[in-house]
Amino acid sequence: MFTCCCAADGTDGVQEYAGIGTDEAHGSLVGVHAQSEKGKEPHKSGELKEFTAVVERDRTTTPLGVLLDPSGIGSLYVCSVQQEGQSPVRTANERAPTEKQLRAGDFIFQVNQVCSDVHAMMTEMQRSSRIEFLVRRPTVYAVSFDRRGASVGCGITYDSCAGISLVIESINEGPVADWNASHPDRAVAVGDRVVSVNDSWGSAGQLLDAIRASDRLTLQFVRATAL
């Protein structure tokens, strides 16, 4: 239902992103697969838009206790934070004020001094025992339309292993472009993430299935809060 941004023939499809944000892919780099949290808490008025979170661990092989999706453009998306037992991220959160705690739905734009390149950011995490995250809170918005059997008209990518969202890579002719023309204040942009479909959350694959199953769609998006 999405147009694949890398398809030469213009057929519908999606581009899968090899997941590196999982335990299996990086030797327990990011930690326990905590349950993904539905309805990520959006940025609130008066709350910090951006902050630094410092996480420390005894060994670089110790799982951090956070599940990350690296399929974004220049940032890592926090799918979930371990809530049970102890982990470096949970310990850091307990020591930090509420407004500086890492939460599901946050965006990480820098790992120590590494930014822009998500692969390099993940590698920096893997080899570091002290990690400084530059974190930005999410902004949430929703769009609704009836695609009437047509493609939604977006090129997307997603993490097929750990992803719980669909990342917009391009916007082509179709319902989303029509929505943007009619709603410039809530226009969908490249890099935004679909996190729910018709009030249903789940894995990236489940989100795709939900889109395929219905013409009338309400898509909830998140993006990093603008500074």
Side-chain angles (χ1 to χ4, degrees):
M1 297 300 108
F2 286 88
T3 301
C4 179
C5 62
C6 59
D9 60 2
T11 57
D12 288 348
V14 294
Q15 178 182 358
E16 292 188 13
Y17 187 97
I20 59 174
T22 65
D23 295 343
E24 295 85 358
H26 259 300
S28 297
L29 166 61
V30 294
V32 174
H33 284 257
Q35 182 178 2
S36 300
E37 297 163 40
K38 186 175 83 171
K40 316 302 184 301
E41 190 172 349
H43 174 259
K44 299 176 181 177
S45 178
E47 184 181 56
L48 288 176
K49 297 179 179 180
E50 186 177 76
F51 63 94
T52 298
V54 178
V55 178
E56 298 180 316
R57 53 185 171 178
D58 295 334
R59 299 182 301 275
T60 58
T61 55
T62 300
L64 291 175
V66 62
L67 185 61
L68 302 175
D69 179 346
S71 60
I73 301 172
S75 66
L76 305 170
Y77 183 66
V78 180
C79 297
S80 62
V81 176
Q82 181 181 338
Q83 300 299 319
E84 301 296 331
Q86 287 302 309
S87 70
V89 167
R90 188 176 183 191
T91 298
N93 277 350
E94 290 171 349
R95 294 173 177 172
T98 302
E99 65 271 17
K100 291 188 175 183
Q101 293 177 1
L102 191 67
R103 302 193 295 231
D106 285 343
F107 292 82
I108 296 173
F109 278 84
Q110 186 169 307
V111 178
N112 293 335
Q113 298 302 310
V114 180
C115 60
S116 301
D117 185 332
V118 293
H119 292 283
M121 291 163 67
M122 294 294 287
T123 299
E124 178 66 17
M125 261 190 293
Q126 184 179 24
R127 68 187 185 189
S128 301
S129 57
R130 185 182 188 277
I131 305 167
E132 287 191 16
F133 292 125
L134 182 63
V135 182
R136 202 176 297 175
R137 296 297 194 201
T139 291
V140 181
Y141 69 99
V143 307
S144 298
F145 53 80
D146 188 338
R147 62 185 180 84
R148 296 182 173 86
S151 168
V152 173
C154 291
I156 66 166
T157 185
Y158 64 92
D159 184 331
S160 59
C161 295
I164 57 170
S165 63
L166 307 171
V167 183
I168 304 299
E169 281 209 329
S170 64
I171 298 173
N172 312 308
E173 183 178 349
V176 171
D178 294 342
W179 168 274
N180 284 354
S182 302
H183 303 82
D185 59 324
R186 283 189 290 159
V188 179
V190 170
D192 290 357
R193 290 174 176 266
V194 179
V195 293
S196 78
V197 179
N198 294 339
D199 291 325
S200 294
W201 283 257
S203 68
Q206 289 171 326
L207 294 176
L208 283 171
D209 288 342
I211 290 171
R212 295 186 180 108
S214 179
D215 278 352
R216 293 189 176 184
L217 297 170
T218 296
L219 306 179
Q220 181 172 300
F221 287 87
V222 295
R223 63 166 64 119
T225 298
L227 298 178

